[in-house]
Structure formats: C-alpha cells, structure tokens
C-alpha cells in the first residue's frame, strides 16, 4: 500500500482506457503503486470483426481489486471508447468522485491482420474507430478537466509499428500513425495551457492481443517479412511494466516540460 502523498504519481488522478487486462491493467497498477487514483474504462466484450477475444467484466473487476491492494481510490466503468457521449459521462462521473483529473492514458486498442488484398473496409472502420477516434474521444473527454486543473498530461498509446510501418496490419499501422499526428497537433494546440501530450511506441508485448492470423501469415506465405518484426536488442518481446514505466514518467511531474515526444519502448525494432 502506498502512503498518502508518497510516490512518483502521488495525488494524480488518471483515466486509463482498456484497463481490464494487458497493458492497460499494467499502467493502472504501476500508477497506483506510485500513488495515483484512477478512473478505469474498458469495453468488456468481444467484437466480431476481431479474431481474438477482448476483455471481460471479470477482468475489469480483477484490475479494480488489484488497484485496491495499493490502497488507491478507483472508479471503473464499462464503456466503448467509440461512444463519445458515454465516455464523456463516465469521465465526468469519475472526476466528480475523485475531485479532479490530472492525466489520461488512451490505451484501448484493437488489431486486425490481413495482407493488403484481403483487408476489408469493415476492418478499416473498426480499427480506425477504436484506435484513432477512440483515442481522440479519450483526449476530448479529459481535456476540459485538465484545463480546469490548470494543466495535465495526455499519454496516447501508439505502437512501434506506426514508426516502422508494420506490414500485414495496414489499418492498425495507419491508425497508430494517426495517433502520432493527433498527439503532435494537440501538443501544439494545448502547450500554452500547460497540457502535455505525448505518444508511447511499444514493440511486441505478450498480452491478450494475439490475432492468430499474424503467426499463420509469417509462418507461411510471408516469411520474408519476419525480420521487420524482430527487435535489435536480444529479446523477442518486452514486459508490460517496461511500457508502464514510460507511461508513469509521462504522467508524473518528472516529465513536466516533455511534450510532443514519441517515446519508443521498442528494444530497437525501429532503428534497424
Ligand atoms: N501487445 C503489444 O504487442 C502492443 C504493442 C504496441 C502497442 N500496443 C498497444 O497497447 C494497447 C493495449 O494493448 P494490449 O496489448 O494490452 O491488448 P489487449 O487486447 O490485451 O488489451 C486491450 C484492452 O482494450 C480493451 N478495448 C478494446 N477495444 C475497446 C473499446 N472500443 N473501448 C474500450 N476498451 C476497449 C480490451 O477489452 C482490452 O482490455 C493497445 O492500444 C495496443 O495497440 C500493444
């Protein structure tokens, strides 16, 4: 349990989307460990357009229990980040309960896999809707509260794939590159109001985001693309906490003059 007022994020009130499992849960726990109170949001149901399951209500409840073990306050809501009104209401309600908002982590995301000629308009719509417009909805729900505080920190989870141009996931790569543009533009637009906006770019992390089609394509017809996904450093993947440590830094006052950064936590996959 974190003592009151102690920790790198002590006193911060932070929204995390996609918080039921994986990286979102890890961000929530790392922030709680360092003294933050949290508003946690997740869709808690699967989407037919995806070839893997999303989180469940039990997953979100487990994240809430784990946060409680750190003695932090936590408000959770089942919300789809594509639903801007529902998201705004959830954030407003959470902020009422916590007494303010100091930051947000737009982490919810989905991944579809297909070669360019098998990629469908429906995949484009779902992935852009969740990963790009959902990130915008998250920022838009948070910004009025950050302005009321006199500033704050928005952290948008992009991907190493956005910078590298990962193949076989064109909607995902494009939407995550869109997140970079959104982040840079908002950083410019809101710097004068002391709102910092940064993106985080992880390489592969073992989570529930495992579309089986990627392994199948790389093992079969597109084995030539395997090197694109291989890290420069000698590790096949990184841990969730490696990414959450970057998020913690960007939410904390340690980064108080850091804005518009593309923070790569990518074991060098983008430098090759
Ligand atoms: N795992 C990786 O290798 C990796 C690498 C780079 C970037 N990322 C990004 O990190 C973020 C977290 O991914 P993860 O690996 O933890 O995946 P994950 O699938 O385990 O977790 C994503 C969470 O977001 C939730 N979610 C999905 N759509 C939602 C919606 N419309 N509204 C609200 N919640 C929704 C899911 O239920 C799930 O709990 C994503 O943005 C992902 O693109 C992941």
């Amino acid at each position: 349990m974190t003592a009151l007022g102690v920790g790198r994020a002590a006193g911060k009130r932070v929204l995390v989307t996609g918080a039921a499992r994986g990286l979102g849960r890890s961000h929530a726990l790392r922030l709680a460990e360092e003294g933050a109170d949290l508003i946690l949001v997740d869709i808690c149901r699967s989407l037919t357009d995806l070839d893997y399951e999303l989180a469940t209500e039990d997953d979100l409840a487990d994240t809430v229990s784990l946060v409680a073990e750190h003695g932090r306050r936590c408000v959770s809501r089942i919300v789809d980040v594509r639903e801007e009104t529902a998201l705004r209401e959830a954030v407003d309600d959470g902020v009422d309960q916590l007494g303010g908002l100091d930051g947000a982590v737009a982490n919810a995301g989905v991944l579809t896999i297909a070669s360019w000629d098998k990629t469908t308009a429906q995949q484009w719509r779902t992935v852009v809707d969740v990963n790009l417009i959902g990130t915008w909805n998250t920022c838009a729900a948070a910004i009025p509260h950050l302005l009321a505080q006199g500033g704050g920190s928005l952290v948008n989870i992009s991907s190493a794939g956005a910078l590298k141009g990962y193949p076989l996931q064109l909607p995902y790569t494009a939407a995550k590159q869109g997140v970079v543009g959104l982040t840079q533009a908002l950083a410019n637009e809101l710097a004068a109001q002391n709102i910092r906006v940064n993106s985080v770019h992880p390489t592969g992390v073992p989570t529930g985001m495992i579309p089986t089609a990627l392994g199948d394509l790389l093992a079969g017809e597109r084995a030539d693309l395997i090197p694109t996904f291989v890290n420069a450093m000698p590790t096949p993947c990184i841990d969730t906490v490696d990414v959450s440590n970057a998020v913690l830094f960007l939410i904390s006052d340690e980064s108080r003059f850091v804005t518009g950064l593309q923070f790569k936590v990518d074991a060098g996959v983008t430098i090759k």
Side-chain angles (χ1 to χ4, degrees):
M1 181 180 293
T2 315
L4 269 184
V6 176
R8 293 167 62 196
K12 301 285 188 201
R13 290 133 324 167
V14 185
L15 164 69
V16 181
T17 67
R21 73 175 189 201
L23 283 165
R25 174 185 286 178
S26 171
H27 307 326
L29 296 183
R30 189 72 190 93
L31 288 164
E33 201 172 47
E34 294 290 345
D37 294 326
L38 298 161
I39 302 168
L40 305 180
V41 164
D42 203 285
I43 190 172
C44 295
R45 71 179 168 87
S46 291
L47 301 177
T48 49
D49 303 327
L50 306 178
D51 77 355
Y52 62 97
E53 306 281 305
L54 295 181
T56 63
E57 290 189 41
D58 285 349
D59 291 326
L60 184 58
D62 286 348
T63 303
V64 170
S65 305
L66 290 164
V67 167
E69 286 177 18
H70 291 292
R72 303 315 315 172
R73 287 183 300 163
C74 179
V75 181
S76 71
R77 272 286 187 89
I78 297 173
V79 183
D80 184 337
V81 295
R82 295 175 295 182
E83 305 292 337
E84 62 173 316
T85 305
L87 182 60
R88 200 172 50 241
E89 284 170 2
V91 173
D92 290 350
D93 188 39
V95 170
D96 275 350
Q97 294 189 49
L98 297 183
L101 190 73
D102 304 283
V105 187
N107 168 83
V110 295
L111 173 62
T112 58
I113 297 294
S115 55
W116 71 269
D117 52 329
K118 303 268 171 40
T119 302
T120 66
Q122 187 55 41
Q123 288 174 337
W124 273 102
R125 290 198 179 94
T126 299
V127 172
V128 169
D129 216 2
V130 175
N131 294 11
L132 180 53
I133 302 176
T135 297
W136 160 245
N137 289 339
T138 304
C139 293
I143 289 167
H145 299 292
L146 302 185
L147 289 172
Q149 282 303 121
S153 172
L154 296 171
V155 180
N156 295 331
I157 305 300
S158 177
S159 168
L163 305 177
K164 180 107 179 182
Y166 279 168
L168 305 176
Q169 45 193 61
L170 301 180
Y172 182 87
T173 298
K176 291 294 191 181
Q177 181 61 239
V179 168
V180 175
L182 169 65
T183 301
Q184 297 297 105
L186 273 180
N188 272 318
E189 196 162 330
L190 297 173
Q193 277 99 6
N194 279 314
I195 295 179
R196 302 183 293 106
V197 197
N198 296 287
S199 55
V200 174
H201 301 262
T203 186
V205 193
T207 63
M209 184 180 272
I210 316 173
T212 48
L214 184 58
D216 294 346
L217 274 169
L218 291 177
E221 58 197 274
R222 293 314 308 262
D224 60 305
L225 292 174
I226 290 173
T228 316
F229 295 92
V230 175
N231 295 327
M233 295 179 74
T235 182
C237 56
I238 60 172
D239 292 332
T240 54
V241 73
D242 296 313
V243 185
S244 301
N245 282 333
V247 169
L248 170 64
F249 171 72
L250 292 171
I251 289 290
S252 81
D253 293 337
E254 293 165 17
S255 60
R256 65 195 177 126
F257 293 120
V258 177
T259 195
L261 176 70
Q262 287 146 40
F263 193 147
K264 298 192 280 184
V265 188
D266 71 351
V269 74
T270 57
I271 60 174
K272 295 191 303 149

